[in-house]
Amino acid sequence: MAGAPARYLVFFQYFGTRYSGVMETKSDQALVGVQNYLEKAAEQLKPSAPIKFHISSRTDSGVHALANAAHLDIQRGPGRAPFTGPQLLQGLNHHLRPEPIRTYIYRLLLGCAHRSQIPVFEQDLCWAPPGGPLDIPAMRAAAQLLLGTHDFSTFRSPRPEAAAQSPVRTLQLLQLQPGHGLLGQHHLHRGLEFWEVKVKSKSFLYRQVRRMVGALVAVGQGRLAPGQLQALLELRDPRALPPHATAPPQGLFLHSVEYGQRDLAPPSAPGEEELCGLSQKEFIT
């Protein structure tokens, strides 16, 4: 026989920009509630019955909280002791840890009148947009409009399955900087220039980086003004960006994935068979 469920009072804080508010929402909504996120993490504790967070104070979409509170009941399987307070805290925090920061680089090659001018060993490692030089200052001005937290629906794939993701993302960096050839400086005497679009975020939408780069190149070519890019962003419609505006895949590189110290930390006590009341095997699954 399983024992009676144990009741806990928990305090939690959140940055509300990516949530519809604190309360639970339907899973098919673009933005979910903080409660959805908490209960998904609680599922990883392997309770014998679903865990429900009873939240004390409602907050609206986009509102942050320094200390909200909730109570929850946890029923464990037969023969398993209730979690202690520290075990529950560590177990929940383990599954609520932030996503790693990803950095992508998109390589552009300027100065090519024809594809045949691309150095042989660069032909599948960069994009040489047609139409002459690009207006780099205009592209940098446009990039500033995309920084921060936005609904990036315009820059996600128009495929129906892509709509299942929340379109809200936070760009920490979107930078246009001089680049270099991967095989030295053999391109310099030919008047070719490499540039790199560097973009950093915890998460991206499907094809978001390539569509943003394509839009920035359109700005550099004078086909799109920075203000028009802002208007496209505010439309929140993937159909607003023409299909040909997506940069080709060969110029895109995943540059790095940065993990915080908590993500890299070993289990709390090496050699212990249980961590937060859960076996190591349970954590992996």
Side-chain angles (χ1 to χ4, degrees), residues 230-246:
Q230 175 78 43
L232 284 172
L233 177 67
E234 293 173 356
L235 281 175
R236 302 177 182 177
D237 184 355
R239 297 167 298 180
L241 199 66
H244 64 266
T246 301

Side-chain angles (χ1 to χ4, degrees), residues 106-118 126-135 139 192-193 213-224 244-248 250:
Y106 195 97
R107 302 179 68 242
L108 298 170
L109 178 58
L110 309 185
C112 291
H114 189 269
R115 180 174 172 80
S116 62
Q117 294 180 280
I118 303 175
C126 64
W127 177 32
L134 299 179
D135 186 340
M139 294 173 67
L192 304 180
E193 293 182 13
V213 170
L216 290 176
V217 167
V219 170
Q221 293 172 331
R223 296 188 290 114
L224 199 65
H244 64 266
T246 301
Q250 63 264 25

Side-chain angles (χ1 to χ4, degrees), residues 186-223:
H186 61 280
H187 62 282
L188 293 178
H189 70 280
R190 301 168 61 180
L192 304 180
E193 293 182 13
F194 283 96
W195 285 81
E196 295 177 349
V197 180
K198 188 175 184 180
V199 57
K200 180 182 294 189
S201 177
K202 290 183 177 179
S203 61
F204 294 94
L205 299 170
Y206 182 51
R207 293 197 175 169
Q208 179 184 348
V209 175
R210 287 171 54 197
R211 286 166 69 85
M212 290 191 304
V213 170
L216 290 176
V217 167
V219 170
Q221 293 172 331
R223 296 188 290 114

Side-chain angles (χ1 to χ4, degrees), residues 14-25 29 31-35 55 57-65 68:
Y14 49 87
F15 185 63
T17 306
R18 294 183 59 182
Y19 299 100
S20 66
V22 71
M23 304 306 293
E24 182 180 20
T25 60
Q29 289 189 204
L31 295 180
V32 299
V34 174
Q35 184 177 353
I55 297 174
S57 183
R58 179 186 295 268
T59 57
D60 293 331
S61 179
V63 176
H64 319 303
N68 207 335

Side-chain angles (χ1 to χ4, degrees), residues 70-135:
H71 78 264
L72 60 151
D73 297 326
I74 301 180
Q75 175 79 58
R76 302 200 74 194
R80 309 207 69 179
F83 291 119
T84 65
Q87 284 176 335
L88 179 62
L89 175 66
Q90 188 174 355
L92 285 175
N93 281 342
H94 176 86
H95 296 288
L96 291 170
R97 60 178 54 183
E99 298 169 346
I101 298 173
R102 296 166 175 83
T103 301
Y104 282 89
I105 286 180
Y106 195 97
R107 302 179 68 242
L108 298 170
L109 178 58
L110 309 185
C112 291
H114 189 269
R115 180 174 172 80
S116 62
Q117 294 180 280
I118 303 175
V120 171
F121 292 104
E122 295 282 1
Q123 288 189 358
D124 292 320
L125 301 174
C126 64
W127 177 32
L134 299 179
D135 186 340

